Structures are given as structure tokens and as C-alpha cells.
Amino acid sequence: MSLAVVLLLVGPVAVVAGTWVSLNIRGAADALARRSAANTELAMHARGDLGPAQRVASTTFYRFVASVISLCGFVFTLGGLLETL
């Protein structure tokens, strides 16, 4: 399998997934933040710590990371297109 094929497959997937979360379509970033908080709370309970869960990442953090992933997907796609030339 050629590098161009891999880049042309991974690039658009990263663009779509990153854009989905960064634009918060159907509350994707909010759901990621809630899931992170719930997992942190479950891990704390498993260790025996019954205090309040600490906030690890906010919705803004997930939206920022998703926008970086989306931009990297554009770079992968352009790299794949240039590789085919």
C-alpha cells in the first residue's frame, strides 16, 4: 500500500472527526467532557477516594485539540495529493 493511499484515507477521517468535535456538532465536545469527568470519578472511587472529582479537561480543551486534529487532517490530505503527483 502506497503512502499516498494511507494519507488520503487518514486525512479526510481526521478532518471530519476533528471538525465534528471542534464545532460541537450534537454536543460532541460536551459529551467528551462529561465522559472524562465520569471516568475520573469512577477511577477515584476505585482507589477509595470518595472526594469530589477534579476537572481534568474542559469543553474548550477538547474543541482546541479537535481543531488541531482537523488541521493535521488537512495537511495529511494535501500530502497525499502531492504524493500522487
Side-chain angles (χ1 to χ4, degrees):
M1 186 182 313
S2 143
L3 177 63
V5 173
V6 172
L7 291 175
L8 287 173
L9 287 174
V10 171
V13 171
V15 169
V16 170
T19 304
W20 188 273
V21 175
S22 66
L23 294 178
N24 203 14
I25 297 174
R26 298 186 68 175
D30 296 330
L32 284 172
R34 285 192 307 269
R35 183 176 180 176
S36 173
N39 285 340
T40 303
E41 185 176 346
L42 286 174
M44 288 177 63
H45 288 312
R47 287 191 309 257
D49 185 6
L50 299 178
Q54 298 173 356
R55 188 176 186 111
V56 177
S58 66
T59 304
T60 306
F61 172 75
Y62 284 113
R63 292 179 79 177
F64 173 75
V65 170
S67 63
V68 170
I69 290 172
S70 181
L71 290 174
C72 290
F74 278 122
V75 171
F76 284 167
T77 304
L78 290 176
L81 291 174
L82 288 175
E83 184 73 24
T84 59
L85 295 178

